[in-house]
Amino acid sequence: EVQLVESGGGLVKPGGPLRLSCAASGFTFSSYSMNWVRQAPGKGLEWVSSIGSSGGSIFYADSVKGRFTLARDNAKNSLYLQMNGLRAEDTAIYYCAREIAAAAGLDYWGQGILVTVSS
Amino acid sequence: QSVLTQPPSLSAAPGQRVTISCSGSSPNIGNNYVSWYQHLPGTAPKLLIYENNKRPSGIPDRFSGSKSGTSATLGISGLQTGDEADYYCTTWDSLNVGRVFGGGTKLTVL
């Protein structure tokens, strides 16, 4: 069974850092591109970042470029999102999601983790 | 303002068919696959359609997808109260080099 479990969320002050993790199981992690998608309170889904299966080809939304860094460790079946310079508008539920194939769609999602940026 | 345009809300009666549109442009829908998701508050989004018109295993054939030019459509037939949810389209945008989502459509089954 494919499982994606996010961790590392919580309350952080504006300007502070936070690192999200996504632990994958039930599939060959190193064969799939992975994504982070978020949903701010009362808003729609927003793509944050994606990374290719080998760790290359990393892309970011303009809203997080220069502040967030995406990485993966295929030996540990894990995905990481380092978030720096957090802003109130980064407050959201963050979802880790697997990509079926190149730009084809996101077939498995984690349950999400809440990140709250507030003083 | 989302790159992909969806109607904010739709409503229909149980048993009816509804279509949700997703309008984009050449760099996104026009040249990339579209996928569709059902999202209930507090849960993980569920993939309904990928590669424009393919259904993952376990998704009933009441759900269908199509794409023409720079627009895509999700069809849901035989509406059930359990279909009440937010629905999102998404695709890759070759100009902005990133994935883009529609603003979402809130479906109410009266």
Side-chain angles (χ1 to χ4, degrees):
Chain A
E1 179 194 5
V2 172
Q3 282 198 316
L4 297 170
V5 180
E6 302 95 340
S7 62
L11 175 64
V12 61
K13 288 183 169 49
L18 202 62
R19 187 200 199 204
L20 301 184
S21 299
C22 173
S25 60
F27 66 101
T28 305
F29 182 70
S30 59
S31 295
Y32 291 86
S33 296
M34 298 295 295
N35 291 251
W36 287 96
V37 175
R38 67 185 181 184
Q39 184 178 37
K43 303 290 187 182
L45 298 177
E46 179 191 17
W47 173 78
V48 173
S49 183
S50 68
I51 185 168
S53 58
S54 62
S57 299
I58 302 175
F59 303 99
Y60 300 96
D62 286 345
S63 57
V64 307
K65 204 171 291 182
R67 299 187 298 122
F68 289 13
T69 302
L70 182 58
R72 65 190 296 162
D73 185 335
N74 285 343
K76 295 184 177 180
N77 292 336
S78 293
L79 183 70
Y80 307 104
L81 184 67
Q82 177 67 44
M83 304 185 294
N84 296 329
L86 282 163
R87 306 166 179 167
E89 54 264 36
D90 295 317
T91 294
I93 297 173
Y94 285 73
Y95 296 97
C96 165
R98 186 182 87 165
E99 196 153 340
I100 301 173
L106 307 175
D107 60 346
Y108 285 94
W109 297 61
Q111 283 302 304
I113 191 86
L114 179 62
V115 171
T116 302
V117 184
S118 174
S119 55
Chain B
Q1 193 78 350
S2 303
V3 173
L4 305 180
T5 301
Q6 297 181 232
S9 62
L10 285 172
S11 62
Q16 288 189 331
R17 174 178 169 80
V18 67
T19 59
I20 300 174
S21 61
C22 177
S23 177
S25 58
S26 180
N28 43 70
I29 292 180
N31 282 282
N32 292 287
Y33 288 127
V34 176
S35 52
W36 289 90
Y37 303 80
Q38 180 190 66
H39 191 207
L40 293 161
T43 69
K46 177 194 288 188
L47 176 66
L48 298 175
I49 298 290
Y50 68 101
E51 290 183 0
N52 303 331
N53 55 20
K54 297 178 181 177
R55 279 179 289 106
S57 172
I59 300 300
D61 58 8
R62 301 189 298 109
F63 295 91
S64 62
S66 65
K67 188 183 101 167
S68 177
T70 59
S71 292
T73 301
L74 172 70
I76 310 173
S77 60
L79 272 174
Q80 302 173 0
T81 55
D83 296 331
E84 271 205 355
D86 297 321
Y87 291 84
Y88 294 89
C89 60
T90 181
T91 186
W92 189 258
D93 190 300
S94 305
L95 186 62
N96 295 313
V97 193
R99 176 169 289 281
V100 289
F101 279 88
T105 298
K106 184 175 184 60
L107 175 64
T108 301
V109 181
L110 302 167

